[in-house]
Amino acid sequence: MTFTSWRGVVGCIKPTLRPGGLEELIRMLPEGIGVLPLFLNISEGTTDEFKRATTPYEPLVKQLADAGCDLIHPEGAPPFMLLGFKGEADHIKKWEKQYKVPFFTSGSNHVRALRALKVKRFVGATYFRGDINKIYAKYFVDAGFDALDMAGMDVDFDKVQELSGLQVYRFVKSVFLRNSKAQAIYMLGPAWRTLDIIEKLEQDLGVPVIHAVPAQCWDIQRHLHVRQPVKGFGRLIAEMPGTGISHQSSVIRQSA
């Protein structure tokens, strides 16, 4: 593993079996960072399913820790956001204490990205219908942000990846224009194929966009003490704010 992953290995737990986000992340990461993926099979996208979903992560977390990963990323915003901001933080601390490896979830990643960009007020866009969006908004309020809106797109959970970037652009732009005092746009989840609209939104609306995949790439680099900007996917990964040795966790293990 040291020859191909000389900068470190991140173990990712994908919550669904749909392709897209993993490939995008691997292509975006700098050379020398290895990715070891495992998968769950969340398929309904309902609140009840997400509430049951944290338990199945446990054996996969252990597999990745036993494999010698330098960093573990249990993905999926909903399962952990439903624990609440504090509940999620406690869960991460428990795992880090048990396995002696740094962890980050999708939620903690997005909080850290917003803070790195010095954002206080933002609007959110998701691909979930109904009251679960209020839970997402509360998570960020409890983390110290002003979530002006958390708007869900009207789409079936298993059809999200079929949306065009232009459809999502129109939806996200309309959400922002209703809340033009927002300092940023937050796009929850990697399921929609929308890397191509990040810079279009930033240019047109004049605010940064926090998108799941570039945010993952940024945080993986931050944890592994790497700083290699990537152009074309928004300010966060192009400018790499908040990176540098003084900002990072000191818990790093050698790759097996």
Side-chain angles (χ1 to χ4, degrees):
M1 212 187 288
T2 55
F3 292 102
T4 58
S5 307
W6 44 275
R7 279 171 152 166
V9 178
V10 55
C12 296
I13 301 174
K14 305 292 293 184
T16 69
L17 291 176
R18 57 179 147 209
L22 178 63
E23 299 95 309
E24 290 175 343
L25 174 63
I26 290 172
R27 292 176 189 133
M28 196 178 295
L29 283 169
E31 181 182 359
I33 295 179
V35 180
L36 187 57
L38 298 176
F39 296 84
L40 297 173
N41 190 18
I42 292 175
S43 57
E44 299 168 11
T46 63
T47 302
D48 287 343
E49 185 182 32
F50 290 135
K51 285 180 178 178
R52 300 190 300 268
T54 52
T55 300
Y57 281 86
E58 294 285 351
L60 303 189
V61 164
K62 185 177 187 305
Q63 284 184 49
L64 293 173
D66 290 346
C69 291
D70 300 295
L71 172 65
I72 297 177
H73 177 30
E75 299 184 40
F80 294 97
M81 284 187 177
L82 264 62
L83 298 174
F85 178 68
K86 184 179 183 304
E88 178 193 58
D90 290 343
H91 215 80
I92 293 172
K93 288 178 183 177
K94 182 193 77 171
W95 276 337
E96 290 186 333
K97 182 178 180 181
Q98 181 176 356
Y99 296 109
K100 305 297 188 291
V101 184
F103 281 74
F104 74 94
T105 59
S106 298
S108 65
N109 170 219
H110 302 155
V111 166
R112 193 174 290 117
L114 287 162
R115 289 175 178 167
L117 290 166
K118 302 187 185 307
V119 170
K120 175 64 178 176
R121 302 183 308 276
F122 71 90
V123 292
T126 85
Y127 39 76
F128 296 92
R129 301 183 181 105
D131 288 343
I132 195 169
N133 292 298
K134 296 178 181 178
I135 297 174
Y136 302 149
K138 185 179 186 303
Y139 171 92
F140 285 103
V141 169
D142 291 346
F145 298 97
D146 188 359
L148 301 176
D149 195 1
M150 191 67 69
M153 201 169 185
D154 186 14
V155 59
D156 292 339
F157 185 69
D158 62 348
K159 302 295 184 184
V160 176
Q161 66 273 18
E162 298 176 13
L163 293 168
S164 72
L166 299 182
Q167 288 175 287
V168 180
Y169 171 95
R170 288 176 60 86
F171 173 72
V172 173
K173 186 175 182 178
S174 69
V175 175
F176 176 82
L177 292 177
R178 296 197 300 267
N179 301 272
S180 57
K181 292 184 179 180
Q183 299 169 315
I185 294 168
Y186 165 62
M187 297 178 64
L188 183 146
W192 36 28
R193 311 269 56 80
T194 49
L195 290 180
D196 60 320
I197 68 169
I198 298 174
E199 289 206 330
K200 292 182 178 69
L201 286 167
E202 291 191 341
Q203 291 165 5
D204 290 353
L205 303 178
V207 297
V209 173
I210 292 83
H211 182 290
V213 178
Q216 286 176 300
C217 181
W218 168 82
D219 220 356
I220 290 168
Q221 291 196 52
R222 192 189 71 86
H223 275 92
L224 296 179
H225 304 278
V226 177
R227 193 178 191 280
Q228 187 168 316
V230 183
K231 302 296 184 182
F233 305 107
R235 279 178 49 191
L236 179 67
I237 195 65
E239 298 177 4
M240 299 293 288
T243 55
I245 205 77
S246 62
H247 295 275
Q248 300 176 24
S249 168
S250 61
V251 184
I252 293 288
R253 301 194 320 186
Q254 294 298 316
S255 298

